[in-house]
Amino acid sequence: MAETTEAPAGNGLPKGFRGAELGWPELHRIPHPPHRLPLLGDVIGASRRTPVQDSLRYARQLGPIFRRRAFGKEFVFVWGAELAADLADESRFAKHVGLGVANLRPVAGDGLFTAYNHEPNWQLAHDVLAPGFSREAMAGYHPMMLAVAERLTAHWDRAQAAGRSVDVPGDMTKLTLETIARTGFGHDFGSFERPRLHPFVTAMVGTLTYAQRLNTVPAPLAPWLLRGASRRNRTDIDHLNRTVDEVVRARRGARGEGDLLDRMLETTHPETGERLSAENVRRQVITFLVAGHETTSGALSFALHYLARHPDVAARARAEVDRVWGDAAAPGYEQVAKLRYVRRVLDESLRLWPTAPAFSREARADTVLAGTHPMRRGAWALVLTPMLHRDPEVWGPDAERFDPDRFDVGAVRSRPPHTFKPFGTGARACIGRQFALHEATLVLGLLLRRYELRPDPGYRLRVTERLTLMPDGLRLWPTRRTGAPAFAAPVAEQAPSEPRCPVRGPGD
């Protein structure tokens, strides 16, 4: 595993950060936005709230590799398919913990997502937890996913009866948080019984937003410019830690449920016999609770937006659900994988708006990117995934158009590898990919079978950024379909009438 190069001490930046000017000997050959200002860099026309969407705009202007300068540091962005494929070569490149991700280390530490390559706990946790995402484990999670989905549909039924629209991102956040909490940790946040988001979610959004804000101010000035935000961030981190500590404390000494938390607490490494430390267990639980629901909720929200805006696609997907699932009250695990067109809808939504919008790669040794751009060991680039997914040389001149048939079998086989990367790449790609895809496909199938979805005709897609991407202000009107089979989760997995092991925040 490549050792992550580290920034010099005392520069105010997270450990692991180095500007591109230190690693790209011919940086001057890479284009940058016009109107660059001394000291401030490429800030004209940029927004602190939408750095990803700003970068998409620059990418269209500047081409498949470009750079941006902010507060004296250079950042190299890549989106061309040939360049991205070269960066995916595991023999020459490894994951780089980029600036935004490094800003999350105060809360997630050396968790799976935020660990540096040379930190031993990453491999230990990965090897211990990987069986928790096997096919057998996934089949065991399926009934709990159904139980949480039933709580969502009950909530939407009440909204329809009252003539109300539903807050799609908010409800998808509740759904995915409850799903990962119940399947992974045997915990119930009671999200659908609350009038507002659980304080854990509020604290999580706060930490993600703060991590992004750190990217937009000069590092030495952050302690002064973000003094109030820093205090709130410490409070948010304390809340996340207390919540997770209570979940773990409730489990220790109790009868195991064979879930991810049991694996963290009880499983030893098959070769070394090592266990995860108590601190690392906390970090992994936070990592899974945050990463395991934030990106999936965004993917579901974007998919529902496109389904509501494309009734022909929704009708085709709904017909597939009716045909494959029939009159069954609840689909079995194997039936979810048979929703091939629904999965294409999900993939096409992830193509246009991958909710984890970038990943970073660093050179293991001195090399030349795609035979053109020299890179020194440790030099890194940020792969801008939404633009990689819009490369017209791969996706055609209509790459901005929503079309799930881009993911039929023939189309997928005709494309070069490494052109669709919503879950990252290589050894450090998302460990929970199959979990997220099964959950999202299941939920889309259930909602399509139960409802017609009516959009607000005046709504235009807006994307909010907090390291991840999410539709902003998206509301839909669900209408129960006549003759749709009644949905019921398996009796053994019905949601409890009272939240199990609830964690209450101050003032709840």
Side-chain angles (χ1 to χ4, degrees):
M1 189 66 66
E3 181 174 344
T4 302
T5 48
E6 298 176 4
N11 68 353
L13 290 164
K15 177 181 176 183
F17 178 80
R18 50 188 282 137
E21 63 276 5
L22 300 178
W24 295 74
E26 298 181 12
L27 188 64
H28 63 278
R29 294 174 49 211
I30 300 176
H32 63 76
H35 314 303
R36 176 171 280 190
L37 299 178
L39 299 179
L40 296 178
D42 304 312
V43 297
I44 293 179
S47 168
R48 291 173 57 186
R49 295 183 180 275
T50 57
V52 172
Q53 291 164 86
D54 288 347
S55 295
L56 297 184
R57 176 164 49 86
Y58 289 131
R60 294 183 179 100
Q61 297 172 4
L62 300 172
I65 181 169
F66 65 99
R67 57 189 166 111
R68 296 181 66 181
R69 186 174 183 84
F71 310 117
K73 300 296 180 183
E74 294 275 1
F75 300 79
V76 172
F77 295 79
V78 166
W79 62 267
E82 180 185 2
L83 297 164
D86 205 38
L87 287 169
D89 181 352
E90 286 282 289
S91 68
R92 294 165 51 226
F93 296 95
K95 172 171 177 167
H96 175 79
V97 177
L99 187 55
V101 175
N103 289 336
L104 290 174
R105 282 181 60 90
V107 61
D110 57 353
L112 282 170
F113 182 57
T114 48
Y116 294 121
N117 292 321
H118 63 274
E119 291 181 310
N121 274 332
W122 176 82
Q123 193 69 58
L124 170 61
H126 184 275
D127 292 349
V128 166
L129 294 172
F133 296 97
S134 66
R135 186 179 179 280
E136 293 75 17
M138 291 295 304
Y141 302 146
H142 178 78
M144 286 181 274
M145 291 182 179
L146 283 168
V148 177
E150 186 174 26
R151 293 160 75 180
L152 169 70
T153 57
H155 176 67
W156 279 25
D157 285 350
R158 291 191 295 271
Q160 181 202 335
R164 299 193 308 266
S165 63
V166 294
D167 171 7
V168 174
D171 287 347
M172 293 306 106
T173 294
K174 291 177 180 180
L175 171 95
T176 55
L177 175 64
E178 292 298 337
T179 299
I180 186 62
R182 288 198 67 194
T183 58
F185 310 105
H187 182 77
D188 193 320
F189 283 101
S191 296
F192 287 104
E193 291 72 42
R194 293 170 171 268
R196 297 181 299 275
L197 290 175
H198 192 283
F200 182 91
V201 176
T202 304
M204 178 212 69
V205 170
T207 60
L208 292 174
T209 303
Y210 180 77
Q212 178 154 299
R213 289 190 67 187
L214 283 176
N215 294 349
T216 65
V217 299
L221 300 181
W224 291 273
L225 295 179
L226 299 178
R227 184 176 303 172
S230 179
R231 284 196 299 269
R232 289 191 297 274
N233 186 58
R234 287 194 294 271
T235 300
D236 289 337
I237 291 174
D238 287 344
H239 183 86
L240 295 177
N241 287 339
R242 286 197 309 273
T243 301
V244 169
D245 287 347
E246 187 168 338
V247 171
V248 174
R249 195 160 45 244
R251 175 63 61 86
R252 289 190 185 276
R255 180 175 60 84
E257 302 190 11
D259 55 17
L260 293 176
L261 184 53
D262 272 350
R263 292 180 185 277
M264 293 180 192
L265 295 175
E266 305 296 337
T267 305
T268 60
H269 190 278
E271 296 178 4
T272 67
E274 291 180 273
R275 292 180 182 269
L276 298 180
S277 68
E279 181 182 41
N280 193 252
V281 168
R282 172 203 277 174
R283 290 171 171 175
Q284 302 299 353
V285 173
I286 289 176
T287 295
F288 277 104
L289 285 174
V290 174
H293 95 274
E294 173 76 358
T295 51
T296 309
S297 63
L300 278 164
S301 298
F302 282 115
L304 289 167
H305 165 75
Y306 285 115
L307 284 167
R309 290 285 171 173
H310 295 81
D312 56 329
V313 172
R316 185 174 167 188
R318 187 174 290 113
E320 179 185 61
V321 176
D322 291 344
R323 183 180 70 255
V324 172
W325 291 359
D327 295 329
Y333 172 75
E334 298 289 350
Q335 288 179 292
V336 176
K338 295 178 180 178
L339 297 184
R340 294 181 176 86
Y341 187 73
V342 174
R343 172 63 185 277
R344 290 180 206 169
V345 170
L346 179 63
D347 284 345
E348 178 68 348
S349 302
L350 283 168
R351 181 185 73 84
L352 288 169
W353 292 109
T355 49
F359 59 92
S360 297
R361 302 285 285 172
E362 69 176 47
R364 294 177 181 269
D366 291 357
T367 189
V368 180
L369 178 62
T372 302
H373 298 283
M375 298 175 68
R376 298 191 181 103
R377 176 182 177 272
W380 63 279
L382 193 72
V383 179
L384 193 58
T385 319
M387 279 304 299
L388 171 63
H389 293 174
R390 287 169 165 83
D391 187 341
E393 293 188 8
V394 174
W395 303 96
D398 64 344
E400 297 283 350
R401 184 172 63 88
F402 178 77
D403 179 9
D405 283 335
R406 297 180 200 274
F407 288 91
D408 70 28
V409 174
V412 170
R413 288 176 177 168
S414 69
R415 282 193 293 271
H418 305 298
T419 54
F420 182 59
K421 293 288 184 179
F423 296 96
T425 193
R428 298 288 302 274
C430 176
I431 192 175
R433 172 180 179 173
Q434 294 307 319
F435 182 100
L437 290 172
H438 182 85
E439 176 189 6
T441 305
L442 169 65
V443 171
L444 289 178
L446 291 170
L447 295 180
L448 283 164
R449 183 161 73 156
R450 192 176 188 88
Y451 304 107
E452 302 277 353
L453 300 172
R454 180 165 57 89
D456 177 352
Y459 178 78
R460 296 295 178 267
L461 181 62
R462 303 185 302 273
V463 178
T464 188
E465 301 182 22
R466 53 188 187 224
L467 291 185
T468 60
L469 304 181
M470 181 79 76
D472 182 31
L474 174 62
R475 303 190 72 89
L476 298 175
W477 276 262
T479 302
R480 283 289 298 270
R481 294 175 64 206
T482 57
F487 167 49
V491 173
E493 292 296 341
Q494 289 282 358
S497 57
E498 293 294 331
R500 182 157 52 101
C501 186
V503 174
R504 302 293 182 188
D508 289 358

